[in-house]
Amino acid sequence: MIRHSTILVLAVVILVACKETKEKESSTVEQDKVQVTFDKKLLNGVWAENQEDNALFYIENDSIYYMDSQDKPYSLEFGGSYFSVHYDDYTSKAELLKLTEDSLVYNSTNTIRLCRRTDEVKESKVETQKTVPVDNIKKCDIEKVAVLKKQLPNASKESIVSFLSTISVDCKNNAEFGQFSNEVLFEVLQAKPLEVLMITGKEDVERDEIYKMLESPVNDAINLRELIDSINKLELQSVEKSEFLKALKKALKKYN
């Protein structure tokens, strides 16, 4: 009888110990979940790909200012480790992977790594180099294509704008420019699909010529299916996205 009582006591002790262990494990999991959240105040400031390149945007509380349109803020919304940017006609969502005093890492369609600019402050919405006016860009300028080619896969927005602005119907008889710009167009679209689509939609470029290029890739090594898939995954609803996909699907049907 004593032996049975002893066994019963041991069983109760084990059950209690197991329960406490589970509660501790559950508590640890909950703590881990809490650690996923970030202090959004750390986002305030000027962000760029490195200390040498032009700044990409400035964040102040729940607003983000892009360097090409500093007078028009877009709304930021936070939820745990995710944040959304509400543009005029669509919303983009990204996952925040790392946020410190000096670095920002987030994932949209690919992983973006930025650093805080230490040489700029927000006194007047941050003075940065403005986008080059299209009127000052020479059409069919093969040097602009070469500049962008050298920067890939980390091309600056200014170089992408300059490159896309050189593409023109006036270049149809320039075989050298046509072939080189066609190759680089697909390369920059693979490296920075969201940036290319947004620039095409906002800047004064010859969109129809860009779409025609996408319908006829000169490099048969381009993986059109993979490119279409990456653009499909963009959390973006716009005319440009539809037109890019339409052109690439024409190319896929034509060459695959």
Side-chain angles (χ1 to χ4, degrees):
M1 184 70 177
I2 295 175
R3 182 180 178 184
H4 290 171
S5 299
T6 303
I7 293 174
L8 180 59
V9 170
L10 287 173
V12 171
V13 170
I14 292 171
L15 287 173
V16 171
C18 289
K19 182 179 179 182
E20 290 178 350
T21 300
K22 288 181 179 179
E23 288 177 349
K24 288 180 181 179
E25 290 176 351
S26 177
S27 176
T28 302
V29 171
E30 291 301 320
Q31 289 176 1
D32 290 341
K33 288 181 180 179
V34 172
Q35 291 173 2
V36 173
T37 61
F38 295 87
D39 181 3
K40 67 179 184 180
K41 290 182 181 179
L42 290 174
L43 283 169
N44 289 341
V46 182
W47 297 96
E49 292 183 344
N50 54 60
Q51 294 295 336
E52 287 71 42
D53 284 350
N54 293 330
L56 299 177
F57 52 76
Y58 176 86
I59 294 178
E60 181 181 25
N61 299 324
D62 294 332
S63 298
I64 181 169
Y65 298 82
Y66 288 95
M67 294 306 113
D68 61 338
S69 56
Q70 294 184 38
D71 294 330
K72 182 175 183 179
Y74 294 100
S75 174
L76 278 175
E77 183 178 353
F78 302 89
S81 61
Y82 288 87
F83 67 93
S84 300
V85 182
H86 298 286
Y87 298 103
D88 293 334
D89 52 357
Y90 69 95
T91 297
S92 176
K93 186 176 181 180
E95 182 181 9
L96 197 56
L97 303 178
K98 179 182 179 183
L99 178 60
T100 67
E101 290 285 351
D102 303 312
S103 64
L104 166 63
V105 182
Y106 62 91
N107 186 14
S108 181
T109 54
N110 48 26
T111 301
I112 307 297
R113 301 177 185 278
L114 303 178
C115 66
R116 189 186 302 276
R117 289 295 291 264
T118 58
D119 58 340
E120 297 180 71
V121 292
K122 195 261 177 184
E123 295 299 328
S124 59
K125 289 287 196 305
V126 188
E127 295 183 0
T128 56
Q129 187 171 352
K130 295 182 179 180
T131 302
V132 179
V134 176
D135 292 342
N136 295 337
I137 297 176
K138 182 181 176 182
K139 300 293 184 180
C140 320
D141 189 347
I142 203 165
E143 291 185 6
K144 298 293 184 185
V145 186
V147 167
L148 179 63
K149 172 84 172 177
K150 289 179 181 179
Q151 290 185 2
L152 291 172
N154 299 312
S156 67
K157 179 182 177 181
E158 180 186 9
S159 293
I160 299 175
V161 172
S162 296
F163 162 68
L164 293 177
S165 299
T166 65
I167 297 174
S168 170
V169 66
D170 299 334
C171 310
K172 61 183 179 181
N173 294 323
N174 188 331
E176 182 182 8
F177 174 84
Q179 179 168 343
F180 190 24
S181 59
N182 186 296
E183 292 177 356
V184 174
L185 175 60
F186 278 90
E187 289 177 12
V188 70
L189 187 57
Q190 287 177 314
K192 291 183 171 287
L194 181 60
E195 289 84 346
V196 173
L197 265 65
M198 292 184 67
I199 289 170
T200 303
K202 289 184 176 181
E203 301 293 335
D204 185 14
V205 298
E206 295 187 28
R207 296 175 183 83
D208 288 343
E209 291 305 307
I210 294 173
Y211 301 148
K212 286 179 182 178
M213 273 193 176
L214 294 173
E215 293 176 11
S216 303
V218 298
N219 186 350
D220 57 10
I222 296 293
N223 190 327
L224 292 171
R225 293 183 187 279
E226 186 176 284
L227 190 53
I228 290 172
D229 186 55
S230 69
I231 293 176
N232 259 325
K233 289 179 180 178
L234 293 175
E235 294 187 5
L236 172 69
Q237 298 297 325
S238 68
V239 173
E240 288 67 42
K241 180 178 179 179
S242 298
E243 292 298 328
F244 269 72
L245 288 172
K246 186 189 300 182
L248 291 170
K249 286 175 182 178
K250 285 183 179 179
L252 182 63
K253 186 176 180 180
K254 189 187 301 184
Y255 296 104
N256 286 28

